[in-house]
Amino acid sequence: MTAPESNQSVESLKDDIQRHVALTLGSDPFPPRKGRYYLGLCYSVRDRLLGQWLETQRSYYDSITKRVYYMSLEFLPGRFLMNYIQALGMEEECREAVRDFGLDLDELLEEEWNPGLGNGGLGRLASCYMDSMATCRIPGYGYGILYDYGIFYQTIVNGYQHEGADNWLRQDSPWVLRRGHFMFLINFYGRSEAYEDSAGHERFRWVDTESVMAMACDIMVPGHQNGHVTNMRLWKAISTRDFELEHFNRGDYIGAVQSKVESENISKVLYPNDTSPRGKELRLRQQYFFVAATFQDILRRFRKNNYSSFDCFPDQVAVQLNDTHPAISIAELMRILVDEESLTWETAWTICQKTFSYTNHTVLPEALETWSVELIGRMLPRHLQIIFEINRRFLDDVGKRFPGRVDLLRSLSLIAEDNGKQVRMAHLAIIGSHTVNGVAELHSKILKTRLFKDFDNLYPGKFTNVTNGITPRRWLMQANPALSELIGSVIGDEWIHDLSHLSELAAYADDPEFQQRWQEVRKRNKKLLARYVLRKLGVGINPATLFDMHIKRIHEYKRQILNVLHVITLYNRIRSGSVAHHVPRTLFFAGKAAPGYMQAKLIIKLINAVGQAVNGDPAVGNDLRVVFLPNYCVSQAEKLIPAADLSEQISTAGMEASGTGNMKFALNGALTIGTLDGANIEIREVVGEDNFFLFGHTEEDVHRLHSGGYDPVQIYESNIELKKALDMISTGFFSPEAPGLFRPIVDSLLAHGDYYLVLADYAKYVAEQARVSKCYEDPALWTRMSILNTANMGKFSSDRSIMEYARNIWKVSPLT
Ligand code: RUG
C-alpha cells in the first residue's frame, strides 16, 4: 500500500471510530477514553468484515456446494479484536489511528472480555478448526450455544479455588450479531402418540410438548487475509410467550415471569466440567435444544435449494459431532425424516449414516456420556422410542452375524443395564456415523484395540485418526509477534498459510547470530511475562531462570502432583545443600478444577501451599519459585506460552487423548518434558528424540500395571527422596495450621493404589528433569533444540487437520 492510501485509510478509520463512539454508543468522543474507543474500534473493524461475511455466505448459495456443520457444545475463541484486525491486515493502520487519539492499541485490546464458552481443549480445538475452515475456504459453519455465563471466573483465596460468575455478556458484545428473524420452536417432554396414516401405516407424532424458542446469534470467523468469513451460529433460548397466559389468567404475575425465566435458563450457563456432568437434566435440555435448532436451520437451507428428494441430503450436508454432546442429533434426524418427511426407516437410516461423523476425545470411562433411559424417556419420549428401534435393528443384525454371542450383544448394545438402564451416547454416535475418529495416533489406536474393539471388528474401516492441530495465526503470529517477526526476517511469511515452511528454519539452528536473536526474543518475552506476574500477583520473578510451565485443567490424570513432588524434591535438595549447583527455576501452574472435583481443588491448594513455603524460605532465594496464576484462559495462555522454556506434558500414558497445549508450546520454541501419550508421541517424532525430554511408562506398561501387581507402597519405601516429599505433604509441613489437610492426596497414592501411576514414574521424571537442567546450562545447545522444535512443528497446523477432515471424512473441497 502506498503512503497516501495508507494515510487515507488511517483517517477514515479514525472518523469511523469517532462516529461509532458518538452515534452507536451515544458518548462524547472527547476526551478520548479507553473503554469507549475500544468499542468504537471494534465496531469500525466489524464494519470492514461484514461485507466479506455476506459475500462468503452468498457464495455458498451460488455454488450450491456441500457444507460442513461443525456441531460443538463448546467453543473457546479467545479475544476477537486482534484476530479480526490481523485477518484484515490492518494492524499498522489501527495502531496509528488510536495513537493519534493518544491511546495504545495493546491497552485497548486488554479491554476485551474472554468469551469462555468452553472448558478447555475440546472447545479451543473447535475454535482453531473454525479459523482453519475459514482460512482454507472450506464451506461450513460452527454451531453451538450462546451461554450467558461461560466457564466460571477463578480466583485464589488463601490458596483455594473460588468460583465466580463469568458474566461475559454483561455489557453486550460487539461481536455477537443477534438475528431475531431466525427463531425456531423447540419441543420437550410430552408423549409419543401412535396413529394410522391414510395408507393404514402405523406412525408416531410427538404431542403435548412444552416449548421454547431458539434465537440465532452469529459471530464472524475470518480467514487470514483471504476474504472468506465463516459463520459461527450460537443459539440463545427465548421464552415462547413472554408471559405464560395461564398464569396471567390466575392473576399470578410472578408465576408468569418465573416460567419465562425457567425456559430461558437453557442457555444460561456452561456446565463447568471437562468430563460429563452426569444425569443433569438441564444439560440434556441444552444438548437437545442446540441439536433441534441446528437441524431446523440445516433443513431450512436444504429446502431453499428445492431438492426433489432427501436422497441427496448427504451430498449437501456433512455433520461433524464434536464428542457425543450433540449425539442426540442422530435420533432427531431420524425423527424428522421418518415422522415429518414420511421416509421409510431404511431410507432415513441410510441418510443418517451418510451424514454424520463423530470425533471421540477421551477414553476415560467417567467422561463417556450416558443418559438414563428414564430421563430421555421423560424429556424426549419419541427419541427414546427411536433409540430403542435403532438398537433393536442393530442387535438383530449383530445376532445374525454372530449367533450365540450374548456377551457381544451386551457389550455393543446402546443400552447399558449394569447401573440402571442408561443410553450409551458413544455407541449411538458410532453406529449412526460413517466415520469415527480419534484425535492422535495413539488415541485412535486405543479406540480400535481396546475401548471400541468390538465395533471396529464389526465395521472395519469406520475408525480412523485425525491428529489435532492448532492455528498458527493465533498461537504464533498473534501470541508471539517478536518471534514471528524474527522468523519472517529469515524465511518470509509463507508459514502463516502453510506451516510446513517453518522447516526452513532448521538451516539456522546452529547459526550463532540467529541463535542470539532467538535468545533475545525469548528473553524479551520472559521479561514481559515477569512484568505481568508482578502486576497480577505482586510476586517478583527472575526472567533469567528456567521458566517451567504446567498449564491446563487440573486433573489427576494430568499429574500436576508429579510436578509438585519434583518441586518438593528440588526444594529439599537446595535446603540440604545436597546439590553443588542448581539451575534456578520458576514453576508456573495455571488451570481450573471442576467445582465438584474435590481432589483437584485440593491439588490447587497444595500447589499454592508449596509455593508459599518455597517462595518464603530465605534458604531458597531465587533458586526456586512457584507461582499459580489464577483464571487460566485463552488470553493468559497467549501471554504464558511464548515465555516458556519447558512445557510439562506428563499425563499417565494412554490417558490424554491428544493435548493441544503441547503443540502450542513446541511451536513457540519451548522444549517438552513428556510421556509417550497423546500427541506428545507425534511431536517427539517430528522434532527428534534429541530435542525432547522423554520419561515414564508406556501405555502398554500402564495397561499391564493396571492388570495387577503394581505396588506403590513398595516404591515409596524404597525411594528416600520420594518418601520424604510425601511425608512432608501428609504430616502438615505445607499446612501447619491443619496438618491432615493434604492426607487425601497421599492416601490416593499410597492407600488407594495410585491409579495414575505417579509413584511409578517419579524416579524417571526426576532424573529427566536433571537432564533438562543440564541442557539448559548450555545455551547454544538449548537454543538449537528450541529452534528445531519450532522448525519441525509444521504438521500440527489445524489447517492440516481440517484438510484431512475435508478430504477423508466430509468429502468437501475448498471454494475456489
Ligand atoms: O482431554 C482432551 C484432550 O486430550 C484433547 O486434546 C482435546 C481436544 O481433542 O479434548 C480434550 N477433551 C476431552 N475435552 N473434553 C473431553 C471429554 O469429552
Side-chain angles (χ1 to χ4, degrees), residues 185 187 195 203-206 288 292 295-296 299 303 310 332-343 382-383 386:
L185 192 72
N187 293 317
Y195 69 101
R203 308 186 64 81
F204 293 90
R205 61 189 160 216
W206 188 10
Y288 180 67
F295 270 86
Q296 291 187 60
L299 285 154
R303 290 196 183 102
F310 269 90
E332 174 68 355
L333 185 57
M334 285 301 287
R335 187 191 66 79
I336 294 170
L337 297 178
V338 173
D339 294 358
E340 294 180 4
E341 301 295 334
S342 304
L343 266 54
R382 179 63 185 132
H383 296 78
I386 290 172

PDB file of all heavy atoms in Angstrom, residues 185 187 195 203-206 288 292 295-296 299 303 310 332-343 382-383 386:
ATOM      1  N   LEU A 185     -38.851 -23.080  16.978  1.00  0.00           N
ATOM      2  CA  LEU A 185     -39.559 -23.622  18.131  1.00  0.00           C
ATOM      3  C   LEU A 185     -38.938 -24.979  18.504  1.00  0.00           C
ATOM      4  O   LEU A 185     -38.762 -25.837  17.642  1.00  0.00           O
ATOM      5  CB  LEU A 185     -41.032 -23.831  17.731  1.00  0.00           C
ATOM      6  CG  LEU A 185     -41.975 -24.115  18.877  1.00  0.00           C
ATOM      7  CD1 LEU A 185     -42.204 -22.853  19.714  1.00  0.00           C
ATOM      8  CD2 LEU A 185     -43.323 -24.614  18.328  1.00  0.00           C
ATOM      9  N   ASN A 187     -39.222 -28.321  21.070  1.00  0.00           N
ATOM     10  CA  ASN A 187     -40.161 -29.014  21.965  1.00  0.00           C
ATOM     11  C   ASN A 187     -39.442 -29.936  22.949  1.00  0.00           C
ATOM     12  O   ASN A 187     -38.384 -30.489  22.632  1.00  0.00           O
ATOM     13  CB  ASN A 187     -41.127 -29.871  21.137  1.00  0.00           C
ATOM     14  CG  ASN A 187     -42.042 -28.998  20.308  1.00  0.00           C
ATOM     15  OD1 ASN A 187     -42.554 -27.986  20.798  1.00  0.00           O
ATOM     16  ND2 ASN A 187     -42.241 -29.350  19.052  1.00  0.00           N
ATOM     17  N   TYR A 195     -50.571 -43.213  15.582  1.00  0.00           N
ATOM     18  CA  TYR A 195     -51.787 -43.003  14.786  1.00  0.00           C
ATOM     19  C   TYR A 195     -51.630 -43.737  13.463  1.00  0.00           C
ATOM     20  O   TYR A 195     -50.520 -44.201  13.125  1.00  0.00           O
ATOM     21  CB  TYR A 195     -52.070 -41.507  14.568  1.00  0.00           C
ATOM     22  CG  TYR A 195     -51.070 -40.812  13.659  1.00  0.00           C
ATOM     23  CD1 TYR A 195     -51.390 -40.560  12.316  1.00  0.00           C
ATOM     24  CD2 TYR A 195     -49.819 -40.422  14.122  1.00  0.00           C
ATOM     25  CE1 TYR A 195     -50.480 -39.939  11.470  1.00  0.00           C
ATOM     26  CE2 TYR A 195     -48.903 -39.797  13.285  1.00  0.00           C
ATOM     27  CZ  TYR A 195     -49.233 -39.558  11.955  1.00  0.00           C
ATOM     28  OH  TYR A 195     -48.334 -38.945  11.137  1.00  0.00           O
ATOM     29  N   ARG A 203     -47.969 -44.788  12.493  1.00  0.00           N
ATOM     30  CA  ARG A 203     -46.968 -43.716  12.544  1.00  0.00           C
ATOM     31  C   ARG A 203     -47.005 -43.097  13.939  1.00  0.00           C
ATOM     32  O   ARG A 203     -47.877 -43.404  14.747  1.00  0.00           O
ATOM     33  CB  ARG A 203     -47.264 -42.659  11.468  1.00  0.00           C
ATOM     34  CG  ARG A 203     -47.452 -43.237  10.075  1.00  0.00           C
ATOM     35  CD  ARG A 203     -47.602 -42.138   9.070  1.00  0.00           C
ATOM     36  NE  ARG A 203     -46.404 -41.344   8.991  1.00  0.00           N
ATOM     37  CZ  ARG A 203     -45.321 -41.694   8.291  1.00  0.00           C
ATOM     38  NH1 ARG A 203     -45.326 -42.808   7.588  1.00  0.00           N
ATOM     39  NH2 ARG A 203     -44.261 -40.938   8.275  1.00  0.00           N
ATOM     40  N   PHE A 204     -46.041 -42.201  14.183  1.00  0.00           N
ATOM     41  CA  PHE A 204     -45.969 -41.585  15.514  1.00  0.00           C
ATOM     42  C   PHE A 204     -45.849 -40.077  15.401  1.00  0.00           C
ATOM     43  O   PHE A 204     -45.266 -39.560  14.444  1.00  0.00           O
ATOM     44  CB  PHE A 204     -44.759 -42.123  16.286  1.00  0.00           C
ATOM     45  CG  PHE A 204     -44.884 -43.566  16.626  1.00  0.00           C
ATOM     46  CD1 PHE A 204     -44.409 -44.545  15.758  1.00  0.00           C
ATOM     47  CD2 PHE A 204     -45.517 -43.962  17.795  1.00  0.00           C
ATOM     48  CE1 PHE A 204     -44.549 -45.884  16.057  1.00  0.00           C
ATOM     49  CE2 PHE A 204     -45.659 -45.308  18.105  1.00  0.00           C
ATOM     50  CZ  PHE A 204     -45.165 -46.278  17.229  1.00  0.00           C
ATOM     51  N   ARG A 205     -46.433 -39.411  16.388  1.00  0.00           N
ATOM     52  CA  ARG A 205     -46.207 -37.962  16.468  1.00  0.00           C
ATOM     53  C   ARG A 205     -45.981 -37.590  17.926  1.00  0.00           C
ATOM     54  O   ARG A 205     -46.442 -38.287  18.835  1.00  0.00           O
ATOM     55  CB  ARG A 205     -47.359 -37.196  15.842  1.00  0.00           C
ATOM     56  CG  ARG A 205     -48.702 -37.422  16.490  1.00  0.00           C
ATOM     57  CD  ARG A 205     -49.824 -36.791  15.682  1.00  0.00           C
ATOM     58  NE  ARG A 205     -51.098 -37.408  16.054  1.00  0.00           N
ATOM     59  CZ  ARG A 205     -52.087 -37.649  15.231  1.00  0.00           C
ATOM     60  NH1 ARG A 205     -51.997 -37.324  13.961  1.00  0.00           N
ATOM     61  NH2 ARG A 205     -53.208 -38.195  15.670  1.00  0.00           N
ATOM     62  N   TRP A 206     -45.259 -36.493  18.079  1.00  0.00           N
ATOM     63  CA  TRP A 206     -44.856 -36.046  19.424  1.00  0.00           C
ATOM     64  C   TRP A 206     -45.851 -34.960  19.837  1.00  0.00           C
ATOM     65  O   TRP A 206     -45.913 -33.912  19.169  1.00  0.00           O
ATOM     66  CB  TRP A 206     -43.437 -35.520  19.305  1.00  0.00           C
ATOM     67  CG  TRP A 206     -42.741 -35.177  20.572  1.00  0.00           C
ATOM     68  CD1 TRP A 206     -43.140 -35.440  21.855  1.00  0.00           C
ATOM     69  CD2 TRP A 206     -41.489 -34.497  20.682  1.00  0.00           C
ATOM     70  NE1 TRP A 206     -42.220 -34.980  22.753  1.00  0.00           N
ATOM     71  CE2 TRP A 206     -41.185 -34.395  22.051  1.00  0.00           C
ATOM     72  CE3 TRP A 206     -40.587 -33.978  19.759  1.00  0.00           C
ATOM     73  CZ2 TRP A 206     -40.025 -33.765  22.523  1.00  0.00           C
ATOM     74  CZ3 TRP A 206     -39.436 -33.356  20.221  1.00  0.00           C
ATOM     75  CH2 TRP A 206     -39.156 -33.262  21.583  1.00  0.00           C
ATOM     76  N   TYR A 288     -30.296 -31.085  23.536  1.00  0.00           N
ATOM     77  CA  TYR A 288     -31.366 -31.233  22.547  1.00  0.00           C
ATOM     78  C   TYR A 288     -31.770 -29.879  21.952  1.00  0.00           C
ATOM     79  O   TYR A 288     -32.028 -29.773  20.744  1.00  0.00           O
ATOM     80  CB  TYR A 288     -32.582 -31.951  23.154  1.00  0.00           C
ATOM     81  CG  TYR A 288     -33.650 -32.088  22.093  1.00  0.00           C
ATOM     82  CD1 TYR A 288     -33.443 -32.907  20.979  1.00  0.00           C
ATOM     83  CD2 TYR A 288     -34.828 -31.344  22.151  1.00  0.00           C
ATOM     84  CE1 TYR A 288     -34.386 -32.992  19.958  1.00  0.00           C
ATOM     85  CE2 TYR A 288     -35.770 -31.425  21.136  1.00  0.00           C
ATOM     86  CZ  TYR A 288     -35.535 -32.247  20.043  1.00  0.00           C
ATOM     87  OH  TYR A 288     -36.454 -32.310  19.024  1.00  0.00           O
ATOM     88  N   ALA A 292     -31.816 -29.516  18.047  1.00  0.00           N
ATOM     89  CA  ALA A 292     -33.083 -29.308  17.337  1.00  0.00           C
ATOM     90  C   ALA A 292     -33.042 -27.994  16.555  1.00  0.00           C
ATOM     91  O   ALA A 292     -33.504 -27.925  15.408  1.00  0.00           O
ATOM     92  CB  ALA A 292     -34.233 -29.302  18.335  1.00  0.00           C
ATOM     93  N   PHE A 295     -30.730 -28.424  13.470  1.00  0.00           N
ATOM     94  CA  PHE A 295     -31.310 -29.204  12.367  1.00  0.00           C
ATOM     95  C   PHE A 295     -32.427 -28.463  11.648  1.00  0.00           C
ATOM     96  O   PHE A 295     -32.600 -28.611  10.438  1.00  0.00           O
ATOM     97  CB  PHE A 295     -31.719 -30.609  12.837  1.00  0.00           C
ATOM     98  CG  PHE A 295     -30.557 -31.537  12.658  1.00  0.00           C
ATOM     99  CD1 PHE A 295     -29.587 -31.664  13.634  1.00  0.00           C
ATOM    100  CD2 PHE A 295     -30.366 -32.184  11.452  1.00  0.00           C
ATOM    101  CE1 PHE A 295     -28.465 -32.443  13.440  1.00  0.00           C
ATOM    102  CE2 PHE A 295     -29.246 -32.965  11.239  1.00  0.00           C
ATOM    103  CZ  PHE A 295     -28.291 -33.097  12.235  1.00  0.00           C
ATOM    104  N   GLN A 296     -33.140 -27.622  12.369  1.00  0.00           N
ATOM    105  CA  GLN A 296     -34.146 -26.822  11.648  1.00  0.00           C
ATOM    106  C   GLN A 296     -33.449 -25.865  10.689  1.00  0.00           C
ATOM    107  O   GLN A 296     -33.918 -25.614   9.583  1.00  0.00           O
ATOM    108  CB  GLN A 296     -35.035 -26.074  12.633  1.00  0.00           C
ATOM    109  CG  GLN A 296     -35.933 -27.037  13.417  1.00  0.00           C
ATOM    110  CD  GLN A 296     -36.950 -26.314  14.276  1.00  0.00           C
ATOM    111  OE1 GLN A 296     -37.769 -25.560  13.758  1.00  0.00           O
ATOM    112  NE2 GLN A 296     -36.896 -26.533  15.571  1.00  0.00           N
ATOM    113  N   LEU A 299     -32.136 -27.870   7.682  1.00  0.00           N
ATOM    114  CA  LEU A 299     -33.223 -28.226   6.751  1.00  0.00           C
ATOM    115  C   LEU A 299     -33.756 -27.003   6.019  1.00  0.00           C
ATOM    116  O   LEU A 299     -34.130 -27.081   4.850  1.00  0.00           O
ATOM    117  CB  LEU A 299     -34.336 -28.949   7.513  1.00  0.00           C
ATOM    118  CG  LEU A 299     -33.893 -30.379   7.820  1.00  0.00           C
ATOM    119  CD1 LEU A 299     -34.574 -30.935   9.037  1.00  0.00           C
ATOM    120  CD2 LEU A 299     -34.130 -31.282   6.619  1.00  0.00           C
ATOM    121  N   ARG A 303     -33.855 -27.045   2.061  1.00  0.00           N
ATOM    122  CA  ARG A 303     -35.113 -26.867   1.310  1.00  0.00           C
ATOM    123  C   ARG A 303     -35.026 -25.685   0.364  1.00  0.00           C
ATOM    124  O   ARG A 303     -35.682 -25.670  -0.676  1.00  0.00           O
ATOM    125  CB  ARG A 303     -36.270 -26.655   2.284  1.00  0.00           C
ATOM    126  CG  ARG A 303     -36.602 -27.914   3.049  1.00  0.00           C
ATOM    127  CD  ARG A 303     -37.976 -27.831   3.712  1.00  0.00           C
ATOM    128  NE  ARG A 303     -38.230 -29.027   4.491  1.00  0.00           N
ATOM    129  CZ  ARG A 303     -38.115 -29.080   5.821  1.00  0.00           C
ATOM    130  NH1 ARG A 303     -37.781 -28.008   6.514  1.00  0.00           N
ATOM    131  NH2 ARG A 303     -38.338 -30.211   6.452  1.00  0.00           N
ATOM    132  N   PHE A 310     -34.869 -36.407  -0.499  1.00  0.00           N
ATOM    133  CA  PHE A 310     -33.876 -36.339   0.574  1.00  0.00           C
ATOM    134  C   PHE A 310     -32.653 -37.209   0.291  1.00  0.00           C
ATOM    135  O   PHE A 310     -31.687 -37.163   1.035  1.00  0.00           O
ATOM    136  CB  PHE A 310     -34.513 -36.745   1.909  1.00  0.00           C
ATOM    137  CG  PHE A 310     -35.062 -35.575   2.656  1.00  0.00           C
ATOM    138  CD1 PHE A 310     -36.369 -35.151   2.467  1.00  0.00           C
ATOM    139  CD2 PHE A 310     -34.255 -34.854   3.524  1.00  0.00           C
ATOM    140  CE1 PHE A 310     -36.864 -34.052   3.141  1.00  0.00           C
ATOM    141  CE2 PHE A 310     -34.740 -33.748   4.207  1.00  0.00           C
ATOM    142  CZ  PHE A 310     -36.041 -33.339   4.009  1.00  0.00           C
ATOM    143  N   GLU A 332     -32.713 -37.290  16.360  1.00  0.00           N
ATOM    144  CA  GLU A 332     -33.508 -36.156  15.872  1.00  0.00           C
ATOM    145  C   GLU A 332     -33.654 -36.199  14.349  1.00  0.00           C
ATOM    146  O   GLU A 332     -34.752 -35.999  13.821  1.00  0.00           O
ATOM    147  CB  GLU A 332     -32.847 -34.831  16.321  1.00  0.00           C
ATOM    148  CG  GLU A 332     -33.472 -33.553  15.766  1.00  0.00           C
ATOM    149  CD  GLU A 332     -34.890 -33.249  16.280  1.00  0.00           C
ATOM    150  OE1 GLU A 332     -35.463 -34.072  17.009  1.00  0.00           O
ATOM    151  OE2 GLU A 332     -35.414 -32.182  15.906  1.00  0.00           O
ATOM    152  N   LEU A 333     -32.576 -36.493  13.649  1.00  0.00           N
ATOM    153  CA  LEU A 333     -32.692 -36.542  12.186  1.00  0.00           C
ATOM    154  C   LEU A 333     -33.607 -37.704  11.778  1.00  0.00           C
ATOM    155  O   LEU A 333     -34.431 -37.569  10.860  1.00  0.00           O
ATOM    156  CB  LEU A 333     -31.312 -36.654  11.516  1.00  0.00           C
ATOM    157  CG  LEU A 333     -31.327 -36.598   9.987  1.00  0.00           C
ATOM    158  CD1 LEU A 333     -31.981 -35.317   9.453  1.00  0.00           C
ATOM    159  CD2 LEU A 333     -29.914 -36.712   9.403  1.00  0.00           C
ATOM    160  N   MET A 334     -33.503 -38.832  12.477  1.00  0.00           N
ATOM    161  CA  MET A 334     -34.414 -39.952  12.184  1.00  0.00           C
ATOM    162  C   MET A 334     -35.868 -39.526  12.415  1.00  0.00           C
ATOM    163  O   MET A 334     -36.755 -39.832  11.618  1.00  0.00           O
ATOM    164  CB  MET A 334     -34.080 -41.164  13.081  1.00  0.00           C
ATOM    165  CG  MET A 334     -32.847 -41.921  12.680  1.00  0.00           C
ATOM    166  SD  MET A 334     -32.907 -42.574  10.994  1.00  0.00           S
ATOM    167  CE  MET A 334     -34.062 -43.930  11.182  1.00  0.00           C
ATOM    168  N   ARG A 335     -36.113 -38.821  13.500  1.00  0.00           N
ATOM    169  CA  ARG A 335     -37.489 -38.380  13.793  1.00  0.00           C
ATOM    170  C   ARG A 335     -38.010 -37.470  12.676  1.00  0.00           C
ATOM    171  O   ARG A 335     -39.132 -37.633  12.184  1.00  0.00           O
ATOM    172  CB  ARG A 335     -37.515 -37.635  15.142  1.00  0.00           C
ATOM    173  CG  ARG A 335     -38.907 -37.280  15.630  1.00  0.00           C
ATOM    174  CD  ARG A 335     -38.871 -36.332  16.819  1.00  0.00           C
ATOM    175  NE  ARG A 335     -38.335 -35.018  16.466  1.00  0.00           N
ATOM    176  CZ  ARG A 335     -39.026 -34.061  15.852  1.00  0.00           C
ATOM    177  NH1 ARG A 335     -40.284 -34.260  15.527  1.00  0.00           N
ATOM    178  NH2 ARG A 335     -38.456 -32.897  15.557  1.00  0.00           N
ATOM    179  N   ILE A 336     -37.162 -36.548  12.260  1.00  0.00           N
ATOM    180  CA  ILE A 336     -37.601 -35.614  11.216  1.00  0.00           C
ATOM    181  C   ILE A 336     -37.904 -36.386   9.919  1.00  0.00           C
ATOM    182  O   ILE A 336     -38.944 -36.199   9.298  1.00  0.00           O
ATOM    183  CB  ILE A 336     -36.514 -34.535  10.975  1.00  0.00           C
ATOM    184  CG1 ILE A 336     -36.370 -33.657  12.213  1.00  0.00           C
ATOM    185  CG2 ILE A 336     -36.853 -33.688   9.748  1.00  0.00           C
ATOM    186  CD1 ILE A 336     -35.166 -32.715  12.174  1.00  0.00           C
ATOM    187  N   LEU A 337     -36.962 -37.262   9.556  1.00  0.00           N
ATOM    188  CA  LEU A 337     -37.118 -37.944   8.258  1.00  0.00           C
ATOM    189  C   LEU A 337     -38.289 -38.939   8.260  1.00  0.00           C
ATOM    190  O   LEU A 337     -39.036 -39.026   7.297  1.00  0.00           O
ATOM    191  CB  LEU A 337     -35.817 -38.655   7.869  1.00  0.00           C
ATOM    192  CG  LEU A 337     -34.601 -37.741   7.653  1.00  0.00           C
ATOM    193  CD1 LEU A 337     -33.360 -38.556   7.312  1.00  0.00           C
ATOM    194  CD2 LEU A 337     -34.862 -36.713   6.557  1.00  0.00           C
ATOM    195  N   VAL A 338     -38.442 -39.652   9.374  1.00  0.00           N
ATOM    196  CA  VAL A 338     -39.493 -40.686   9.410  1.00  0.00           C
ATOM    197  C   VAL A 338     -40.865 -40.068   9.746  1.00  0.00           C
ATOM    198  O   VAL A 338     -41.843 -40.287   9.047  1.00  0.00           O
ATOM    199  CB  VAL A 338     -39.128 -41.793  10.428  1.00  0.00           C
ATOM    200  CG1 VAL A 338     -40.274 -42.776  10.613  1.00  0.00           C
ATOM    201  CG2 VAL A 338     -37.875 -42.523   9.973  1.00  0.00           C
ATOM    202  N   ASP A 339     -40.901 -39.267  10.812  1.00  0.00           N
ATOM    203  CA  ASP A 339     -42.206 -38.761  11.282  1.00  0.00           C
ATOM    204  C   ASP A 339     -42.692 -37.573  10.451  1.00  0.00           C
ATOM    205  O   ASP A 339     -43.876 -37.463  10.162  1.00  0.00           O
ATOM    206  CB  ASP A 339     -42.130 -38.309  12.743  1.00  0.00           C
ATOM    207  CG  ASP A 339     -41.866 -39.464  13.690  1.00  0.00           C
ATOM    208  OD1 ASP A 339     -41.789 -40.615  13.215  1.00  0.00           O
ATOM    209  OD2 ASP A 339     -41.743 -39.220  14.907  1.00  0.00           O
ATOM    210  N   GLU A 340     -41.794 -36.677  10.112  1.00  0.00           N
ATOM    211  CA  GLU A 340     -42.242 -35.446   9.454  1.00  0.00           C
ATOM    212  C   GLU A 340     -42.152 -35.537   7.939  1.00  0.00           C
ATOM    213  O   GLU A 340     -42.984 -34.986   7.237  1.00  0.00           O
ATOM    214  CB  GLU A 340     -41.433 -34.244   9.969  1.00  0.00           C
ATOM    215  CG  GLU A 340     -41.733 -33.982  11.436  1.00  0.00           C
ATOM    216  CD  GLU A 340     -40.967 -32.811  12.029  1.00  0.00           C
ATOM    217  OE1 GLU A 340     -40.236 -32.125  11.277  1.00  0.00           O
ATOM    218  OE2 GLU A 340     -41.092 -32.606  13.249  1.00  0.00           O
ATOM    219  N   GLU A 341     -41.104 -36.225   7.445  1.00  0.00           N
ATOM    220  CA  GLU A 341     -40.937 -36.296   5.985  1.00  0.00           C
ATOM    221  C   GLU A 341     -41.448 -37.618   5.423  1.00  0.00           C
ATOM    222  O   GLU A 341     -41.360 -37.848   4.218  1.00  0.00           O
ATOM    223  CB  GLU A 341     -39.462 -36.092   5.609  1.00  0.00           C
ATOM    224  CG  GLU A 341     -38.869 -34.767   6.078  1.00  0.00           C
ATOM    225  CD  GLU A 341     -39.507 -33.554   5.405  1.00  0.00           C
ATOM    226  OE1 GLU A 341     -40.024 -33.700   4.276  1.00  0.00           O
ATOM    227  OE2 GLU A 341     -39.501 -32.472   6.023  1.00  0.00           O
ATOM    228  N   SER A 342     -41.945 -38.482   6.270  1.00  0.00           N
ATOM    229  CA  SER A 342     -42.554 -39.763   5.865  1.00  0.00           C
ATOM    230  C   SER A 342     -41.631 -40.667   5.050  1.00  0.00           C
ATOM    231  O   SER A 342     -42.097 -41.414   4.173  1.00  0.00           O
ATOM    232  CB  SER A 342     -43.852 -39.509   5.064  1.00  0.00           C
ATOM    233  OG  SER A 342     -44.712 -38.726   5.820  1.00  0.00           O
ATOM    234  N   LEU A 343     -40.363 -40.625   5.326  1.00  0.00           N
ATOM    235  CA  LEU A 343     -39.436 -41.552   4.656  1.00  0.00           C
ATOM    236  C   LEU A 343     -39.511 -42.915   5.353  1.00  0.00           C
ATOM    237  O   LEU A 343     -39.877 -42.988   6.529  1.00  0.00           O
ATOM    238  CB  LEU A 343     -38.001 -41.030   4.755  1.00  0.00           C
ATOM    239  CG  LEU A 343     -37.462 -40.199   3.590  1.00  0.00           C
ATOM    240  CD1 LEU A 343     -38.358 -39.028   3.275  1.00  0.00           C
ATOM    241  CD2 LEU A 343     -36.053 -39.693   3.905  1.00  0.00           C
ATOM    242  N   ARG A 382     -40.255 -39.490  22.137  1.00  0.00           N
ATOM    243  CA  ARG A 382     -40.192 -40.044  20.784  1.00  0.00           C
ATOM    244  C   ARG A 382     -38.754 -40.456  20.440  1.00  0.00           C
ATOM    245  O   ARG A 382     -38.518 -41.459  19.775  1.00  0.00           O
ATOM    246  CB  ARG A 382     -40.742 -39.012  19.780  1.00  0.00           C
ATOM    247  CG  ARG A 382     -40.699 -39.459  18.341  1.00  0.00           C
ATOM    248  CD  ARG A 382     -41.574 -40.679  18.071  1.00  0.00           C
ATOM    249  NE  ARG A 382     -41.415 -41.158  16.704  1.00  0.00           N
ATOM    250  CZ  ARG A 382     -41.207 -42.423  16.352  1.00  0.00           C
ATOM    251  NH1 ARG A 382     -41.149 -43.381  17.270  1.00  0.00           N
ATOM    252  NH2 ARG A 382     -41.072 -42.752  15.089  1.00  0.00           N
ATOM    253  N   HIS A 383     -37.813 -39.682  20.921  1.00  0.00           N
ATOM    254  CA  HIS A 383     -36.401 -40.004  20.652  1.00  0.00           C
ATOM    255  C   HIS A 383     -36.011 -41.317  21.316  1.00  0.00           C
ATOM    256  O   HIS A 383     -35.252 -42.099  20.756  1.00  0.00           O
ATOM    257  CB  HIS A 383     -35.484 -38.870  21.115  1.00  0.00           C
ATOM    258  CG  HIS A 383     -35.719 -37.605  20.358  1.00  0.00           C
ATOM    259  ND1 HIS A 383     -36.785 -36.785  20.619  1.00  0.00           N
ATOM    260  CD2 HIS A 383     -35.058 -37.046  19.318  1.00  0.00           C
ATOM    261  CE1 HIS A 383     -36.758 -35.766  19.782  1.00  0.00           C
ATOM    262  NE2 HIS A 383     -35.726 -35.895  18.974  1.00  0.00           N
ATOM    263  N   ILE A 386     -37.152 -44.079  19.250  1.00  0.00           N
ATOM    264  CA  ILE A 386     -36.288 -44.214  18.064  1.00  0.00           C
ATOM    265  C   ILE A 386     -34.965 -44.894  18.441  1.00  0.00           C
ATOM    266  O   ILE A 386     -34.485 -45.782  17.733  1.00  0.00           O
ATOM    267  CB  ILE A 386     -36.063 -42.826  17.412  1.00  0.00           C
ATOM    268  CG1 ILE A 386     -37.382 -42.369  16.764  1.00  0.00           C
ATOM    269  CG2 ILE A 386     -34.935 -42.864  16.386  1.00  0.00           C
ATOM    270  CD1 ILE A 386     -37.387 -40.944  16.256  1.00  0.00           C
TER     271      ILE A 386
END
